[in-house]
Amino acid sequence: MDNPEAGDRRIADSPRYPVGFRLPRPLDEKVKDLVDLANRVGERTTRTEMFSAIIYRAVTEPDSISSDNIIEILHGYRLATIADLENPPDESQPL
């Protein structure tokens, strides 16, 4: 790290970089629902912050994404239907 104090800086205060991608509409609606939920319970947030929080959680929880399950995660997403967003499959069952 070039700046020894950078480790103490909040991620949310770091420089921003534009990310250009298109999200499938059903997932976009779910992100909107998450933002709305947070706002309803008094936690004012934005889509940018929600995406950032989701990514942060994914990389800071050791069991959330690993070399052991990354293929399963990608295949699960690729095969998922819109109905799966409302009724997620049982994670104990193989895909």
Side-chain angles (χ1 to χ4, degrees), residues 1 3-11:
M1 221 178 267
N3 180 354
E5 297 175 7
D8 293 333
R9 185 176 60 211
R10 292 184 188 273
I11 295 171

Side-chain angles (χ1 to χ4, degrees), residues 1-92:
M1 221 178 267
D2 293 335
N3 180 354
E5 297 175 7
D8 293 333
R9 185 176 60 211
R10 292 184 188 273
I11 295 171
D13 297 334
S14 296
R16 306 286 174 136
Y17 294 93
V19 177
F21 61 89
R22 294 177 188 263
L23 194 62
R25 185 178 302 267
L27 293 179
D28 181 63
E29 291 170 1
K30 289 299 178 183
V31 172
K32 180 186 177 303
D33 291 346
L34 290 171
V35 170
D36 290 346
L37 174 64
N39 287 329
R40 277 197 309 274
V41 298
E43 194 63 39
R44 294 181 53 113
T45 192
T46 64
R47 295 167 59 81
T48 298
E49 186 175 51
M50 186 61 68
F51 273 116
S52 298
I54 291 167
I55 293 167
Y56 173 76
R57 175 62 63 98
V59 299
T60 59
E61 288 190 5
D63 296 330
S64 64
I65 299 176
S66 70
S67 59
D68 294 332
N69 68 6
I70 190 71
I71 293 172
E72 180 181 334
I73 291 168
L74 288 169
H75 287 184
Y77 166 72
R78 291 173 183 158
L79 298 173
T81 65
I82 294 170
D84 292 334
L85 288 172
E86 299 302 323
N87 302 304
D90 182 354
E91 290 183 14
S92 65

